[in-house]
Amino acid sequence: MTSTPPARPGLRDVARLAGVSHQTVSRVFKNHPMVSAKTRDRVLAAAAQLDFRPNAAARALATGRSRTLGVVSFDTALFGPASIIAAIERNARAADFFTSVASLESPGHGAVAGAVDRFRDQGVDGIIMIPGHVPPDEALRHLPGDLPTVLLGPDAAVPTVSGDHYLAPREAVRYLLELGHRTVHHLPGPDDWSEATERTRGWRDALTEAGADVPDCAPGDWSARSGYERGRLLAADGDVTAVFAANDQIALGLLWAIHESGRRVPDDVSVIGFDDIPEAAFLTPPLTTVRQDFTALGRHLVEQLITQLTGNGADPTAPKLVPSKLIIRRSTAPTASR
């Protein structure tokens, strides 16, 4: 015979143990300002003793808020989007919000609209959009105008948070030129990613401003294989002494291509990546790279959305740019011809 599990404690059980009314318990868990600190402490202590947990659905009905943020993202297997989603979840949890993530492969066939419909069924309070390779206007096209929304990326019709994908590549290229390299070659990311095109623009502008030659470059994907296959051509060219790779995975493939060719990093070729993946400091040699602050990106996305919901804090419509930082390690050195 199956035994019946014990009933979960409710508001009235907490009220009985704390010696207050169940309405007072409800006010405590709604953060009502008219509850004294002493009473609040007594109620919370009773709730902890009983292992009482407020019912999220009931709280949503009472407050009109689910305290859930929807996240729409593409290419979540990649390091950048995955790191940002993890940061969003941490910061949302710290602010007492849940997250619901819709991981999409492409914007076609009503994928975004379907994700939004699921979010509406869940009663999410707002949406964070991480477009990846999808143009922002396409990614936003199916989002409802009545739900607060924040976009990761620049130049959108909604509040935005952006990483630095232009100034930091310029700094990286200038650093290589200061080491005596006559020019810097580039292994771009996919040309349908705004982050990749911005990094390429920063590379090109730095060379143009310095009066250096701007070598041809061919877009690829974000993988180490792409870096290796394109890197073999650069490694075979004795005139190539410095390369800026659009991410650390591409740089990883390039490092192997250079090693396979018999040339050495940084003695013959200096290499800079982008992102500062956890393994970057342990490559051979340790990789000079541009560090993105994924924690800050996630925090600002959550803060901008919550500010829209509460009306508290800085202007949520003001774009937020999160700076990146050049991390110098042993994959770069002065050119031997200097």
Side-chain angles (χ1 to χ4, degrees):
M1 182 175 179
T2 304
S3 61
T4 303
R8 295 175 58 186
L11 285 178
R12 294 182 184 278
D13 299 303
V14 176
R16 190 177 302 112
L17 182 59
V20 298
S21 69
H22 72 274
Q23 292 93 340
T24 298
V25 176
S26 178
R27 291 189 188 101
V28 168
F29 286 101
K30 291 178 185 177
N31 292 317
H32 197 285
M34 299 304 292
V35 179
S36 71
K38 183 177 179 180
T39 299
R40 185 182 304 276
D41 290 344
R42 193 161 72 246
V43 168
L44 292 177
Q49 183 177 334
L50 294 172
D51 194 25
F52 169 76
R53 300 171 187 272
N55 184 289
R59 183 170 63 175
L61 287 173
T63 63
R65 297 284 190 196
S66 68
R67 300 198 71 82
T68 301
L69 308 180
V71 182
V72 179
S73 182
F74 300 86
D75 306 287
T76 52
L78 295 173
F79 177 74
S83 299
I84 293 169
I85 289 173
I88 288 171
E89 290 177 328
R90 287 195 303 271
N91 284 278
R93 187 166 57 250
D96 194 27
F97 277 80
F98 301 100
T99 51
S100 179
V101 179
S103 176
L104 308 179
E105 293 183 3
S106 73
H109 306 293
V112 176
V116 171
D117 286 342
R118 291 196 298 274
F119 285 156
R120 280 199 175 283
D121 291 341
Q122 296 171 20
V124 302
D125 296 330
I127 293 177
I128 296 172
M129 173 66 74
I130 304 174
H133 69 283
V134 180
D137 56 346
E138 177 64 22
L140 295 171
R141 187 162 62 91
H142 299 289
L143 294 185
D146 60 338
L147 268 180
T149 301
V150 177
L151 177 93
L152 178 70
D155 304 326
V158 299
T160 60
V161 176
S162 303
D164 171 16
H165 302 285
Y166 174 72
L167 295 175
R170 287 179 62 185
E171 179 186 358
V173 172
R174 285 199 297 263
Y175 171 70
L176 289 169
L177 295 175
E178 289 168 0
L179 290 176
H181 299 278
R182 288 182 295 177
T183 190
V184 178
H185 288 70
H186 182 40
L187 291 179
D191 57 7
D192 58 351
W193 281 67
S194 62
E195 290 89 344
T197 57
E198 281 297 282
R199 293 173 199 179
T200 297
R201 188 168 70 92
W203 160 78
R204 181 178 291 109
D205 286 357
L207 292 177
T208 301
E209 290 165 6
D213 290 338
V214 180
D216 293 334
C217 63
D221 60 37
W222 293 117
S223 70
R225 176 176 292 277
S226 176
Y228 170 74
E229 291 173 348
R230 290 178 293 159
R232 291 175 66 186
L233 299 176
L234 296 181
D237 185 346
D239 291 332
V240 174
T241 66
V243 184
F244 167 56
N247 78 348
D248 290 346
Q249 282 85 0
I250 293 172
L252 176 61
L254 171 63
L255 290 175
W256 180 248
I258 294 171
H259 171 77
E260 197 176 60
S261 75
R263 304 180 74 193
R264 295 172 299 169
V265 176
D267 305 73
D268 303 310
V269 184
S270 287
V271 175
I272 292 182
F274 200 103
D275 280 341
D276 195 25
I277 61 174
E279 298 81 7
F282 302 96
L283 299 178
T284 304
L287 182 65
T288 296
T289 185
V290 175
R291 176 180 294 165
Q292 283 206 82
D293 193 341
F294 295 112
T295 298
L297 287 168
R299 182 177 71 252
H300 287 300
L301 286 165
V302 171
E303 287 176 350
Q304 282 218 1
L305 191 53
I306 292 177
T307 296
Q308 290 185 65
L309 295 172
T310 63
N312 300 322
D315 179 5
T317 64
K320 179 67 179 180
L321 178 66
V322 176
S324 300
K325 181 180 181 182
L326 180 64
I327 305 298
I328 298 173
R329 298 193 180 103
R330 296 201 301 254
S331 68
T332 50
T335 178
S337 62
R338 187 169 182 176

